[in-house]
Structure formats: structure tokens, C-alpha cells
Amino acid sequence: ETVERILPYWESNIRPDLEQYGEIIVTAHGNSLRGIVKHLKGISDEEIPSLNLPTGIPYVFEFDDNMQLQRDYFLGDPEQIAKLQAAVANQGKSK
């Protein structure tokens, strides 16, 4: 459902701005961002729950001239990012 809600905004606002300006910053709640990532990377419904987006860490997407995703990566120290992703994954687990 989140993907269904976010895709119209991707098509009407984010993608056109990206095509016009070349670089943009998108900030949103984790589930909304996860929906965009799911769409861009073709992640399955079964796999998407395991995508843990750490709060406040830039996630960069690079596109070619035809808006095809070429590369994606987090900005920062990979070890620290892995720790933050694990923290996100553990948020809902009881202690």
C-alpha cells in the first residue's frame, strides 16, 4: 500500500525535479522511502521488509540519462552504517 501511495508523488514531483535539476534531496518517513527504493530497485514484496534504512544517513541513487538506476549506496562509514541498519532491524524486537 505504501508503494501505491508514494508512486504518484514519485512520478509527479520527484522524477521530474530529478530530470530537470540533476540532483535533488528527498527526505521522508522510512516506510515512504522504502517504497521508493522498492520501486527503483525492483525489490520483491517478500524481500522489502528486510531493507533497513538508517535514520539520517544519506542514501544516494545515481541514474543514467534515461533515468535507469545505475548505482546506489549509503554515504558514510560502512561499518557504522551496518550498525545503524542492525539497530533499525532490532527496533521491533522485544528484549
Side-chain angles (χ1 to χ4, degrees):
E1 292 175 359
T2 303
V3 174
E4 291 173 18
R5 289 193 307 266
I6 195 66
L7 280 183
Y9 189 73
W10 164 262
E11 292 297 335
S12 67
N13 292 78
I14 299 172
R15 183 180 174 135
D17 283 354
L18 185 57
E19 290 173 332
Q20 180 177 353
Y21 301 111
E23 293 181 359
I24 62 170
I25 295 174
V26 175
T27 61
H29 187 275
N31 279 339
S32 298
L33 294 172
R34 190 178 287 116
I36 293 171
V37 174
K38 181 183 188 312
H39 170 70
L40 294 176
K41 295 184 70 171
I43 298 173
S44 71
D45 290 345
E46 294 75 30
E47 293 175 302
I48 197 63
S50 66
L51 175 64
N52 297 303
L53 300 174
T55 301
I57 303 297
Y59 191 10
V60 178
F61 288 83
E62 296 178 358
F63 299 90
D64 65 15
D65 292 339
N66 296 314
M67 288 298 297
Q68 297 299 309
L69 180 62
Q70 297 299 300
R71 182 176 158 200
D72 64 298
Y73 54 93
F74 289 102
L75 285 182
D77 175 56
E79 188 175 308
Q80 181 64 22
I81 291 168
K83 289 178 184 177
L84 293 169
Q85 287 177 303
V88 171
N90 291 324
Q91 283 177 347
K93 296 179 181 175
S94 62
K95 296 181 180 183

